Amino acid sequence: MKKLVLLFSVLLSVSSCDKIKSFDIFTKKEEKKEPVVASVGETNLYLSELESVIPKGISDNDSIVLAKSYINTWAKQQLLLQRAEENISEVNSNKIDELIKAYRQSLYINGYKETLIKQQLDTIISEASIEDYYQKNKDNFKLNEELLQIKYVYFGNDFLDKDEAIEKFKSTEEEDLEDLESLTINFKDYQLRDSTWITYDKLLQKIPPFRYETKEKLLKISKFIKKEDSLGVYLVAVNNVLMRNDIAPLSYIENNIKQLILHNRKIELVRDIEKTLINDAIKNNEFKEY
């Protein structure tokens, strides 16, 4: 029922457009055996095409609005295309044909290359390969932002063991760290043993009270910083700091290096494929140079 309401509404909405021919919902194109909802010249817009752009579950009114908009957009595009085809010069038409041909060839070639790459590319990257690439290209991995390694915990104001948590957090003893880990179920957030590097901006997001501290103060190694807000208490230790133009640590850029190695392998593989293709063509007399 909804589709019928939409279809008849569309019929009424487009009947006044002198660029779009009127139609009968039972008039069907012989090839497609389905209703035509609009036409410009010899080009038809079919009901199935219109239905494909109307989201399911929307109201009848919204369906009608979307249908009218789509039909008008489609009609304008077709009219512009027809006018362009009628008025374009033979020289420009030939240039367009050449561009289309080149683009089509490019799609075929790239599709074929991608298929071969998927079949032949070695995607296994060892830690030794990553380390070797990092050591040989260190100068290319200079930081453009500050990085920090931190240890921190965040608990609510209603946490009962605040003093114990602070004491254990300050300690460098393994036993105290293990005791602190036993309290993590009561923490809102924490990072105790993770050596992950984070940017200065992410530090401010993770610990909002730091937004009111100077950058110089935070970018220093500190064994203990305590900050509070209306929701809770932050305990922070800044274990390491790297500044702009320092060499990025391997752990921070490891994924980037993997992508670079894969990219280089792809380039080398394509070169090998092209070289083999030429050699085989010469061998089989498929390629001759005069």
Side-chain angles (χ1 to χ4, degrees):
M1 179 63 72
K2 180 176 179 179
K3 288 184 178 179
L4 289 175
V5 171
L6 169 60
L7 182 55
F8 280 111
S9 299
V10 170
L11 286 172
L12 291 173
S13 69
V14 302
S15 61
S16 62
C17 181
D18 59 1
K19 291 293 183 182
I20 303 177
K21 297 178 182 178
S22 62
F23 60 92
D24 186 321
I25 62 170
F26 301 107
T27 300
K28 302 178 181 179
K29 189 174 180 180
E30 194 171 359
E31 295 83 2
K32 283 204 170 188
K33 303 293 185 184
E34 65 172 292
V36 175
V37 295
S39 64
V40 173
E42 298 299 321
T43 305
N44 296 327
L45 175 65
Y46 294 94
L47 178 61
S48 62
E49 297 175 82
L50 183 60
E51 287 180 327
S52 69
V53 300
I54 306 298
K56 295 181 179 179
I58 65 173
S59 68
D60 290 344
N61 287 337
D62 288 341
S63 296
I64 293 169
V65 171
L66 285 174
K68 289 170 63 177
S69 175
Y70 183 81
I71 289 174
N72 286 335
T73 300
W74 175 87
K76 284 185 285 187
Q77 183 179 24
Q78 295 303 320
L79 289 167
L80 286 169
L81 178 59
Q82 289 185 15
R83 296 298 183 272
E85 289 174 341
E86 291 167 0
N87 291 280
I88 194 168
S89 68
E90 184 177 350
V91 173
N92 288 333
S93 179
N94 290 336
K95 286 183 179 179
I96 291 173
D97 289 340
E98 290 172 4
L99 288 172
I100 293 173
K101 181 181 178 181
Y103 181 61
R104 186 170 182 271
Q105 290 175 345
S106 177
L107 288 176
Y108 273 108
I109 292 170
N110 289 334
Y112 178 63
K113 285 182 179 179
E114 286 301 317
T115 299
L116 292 178
I117 288 171
K118 287 180 181 179
Q119 293 173 349
Q120 302 179 31
L121 182 65
D122 179 11
T123 57
I124 298 175
I125 303 175
S126 67
E127 293 298 322
S129 297
I130 296 172
E131 175 69 29
D132 182 63
Y133 190 95
Y134 176 71
Q135 294 299 334
K136 290 179 178 178
N137 298 276
K138 270 189 173 183
D139 288 340
N140 296 328
F141 300 128
K142 292 184 178 180
L143 294 170
N144 57 11
E145 57 187 340
E146 299 86 358
L147 296 182
L148 302 95
Q149 275 182 332
I150 64 170
K151 177 179 78 172
Y152 86 101
V153 299
Y154 173 41
F155 49 77
N157 290 319
D158 56 349
F159 179 53
L160 298 178
D161 298 319
K162 292 181 183 179
D163 292 339
E164 180 185 0
I166 292 172
E167 179 183 349
K168 300 296 183 184
F169 186 88
K170 288 181 176 180
S171 174
T172 58
E173 299 295 327
E174 177 64 24
E175 183 179 351
D176 289 330
L177 182 57
E178 291 175 357
D179 289 342
L180 186 62
E181 288 175 327
S182 68
L183 300 174
T184 55
I185 192 173
N186 301 300
F187 297 160
K188 293 186 175 184
D189 197 7
Y190 64 93
Q191 179 176 304
L192 298 177
R193 296 181 183 271
D194 193 353
S195 59
T196 301
W197 291 89
I198 66 171
T199 65
Y200 173 76
D201 289 339
K202 286 186 177 179
L203 175 70
L204 300 186
Q205 294 175 13
K206 189 178 287 289
I207 306 172
F210 276 0
R211 298 171 187 172
Y212 305 102
E213 298 289 339
T214 63
K215 192 173 187 178
E216 291 75 15
K217 182 177 180 180
L218 295 177
L219 294 177
K220 292 181 180 179
I221 295 176
S222 305
K223 291 185 177 180
F224 180 73
I225 303 173
K226 177 184 176 185
K227 290 293 176 183
E228 299 183 41
D229 60 19
S230 59
L231 300 176
V233 178
Y234 299 85
L235 307 178
V236 183
V238 179
N239 297 327
N240 210 344
V241 176
L242 289 174
M243 307 300 287
R244 290 174 184 265
N245 293 319
D246 285 344
I247 302 298
L250 177 57
S251 60
Y252 185 69
I253 56 171
E254 184 172 352
N255 287 334
N256 290 345
I257 291 178
K258 287 180 180 179
Q259 294 303 314
L260 289 169
I261 292 175
L262 281 177
H263 178 69
N264 290 340
R265 285 183 183 178
K266 283 183 181 180
I267 293 174
E268 191 62 32
L269 178 58
V270 169
R271 286 174 181 165
D272 289 342
I273 290 171
E274 292 172 346
K275 183 178 180 180
T276 300
L277 192 65
I278 290 290
N279 290 338
D280 287 348
I282 294 173
K283 182 179 179 182
N284 298 324
N285 291 321
E286 295 175 335
F287 168 53
K288 299 177 182 179
E289 194 171 357
Y290 301 99

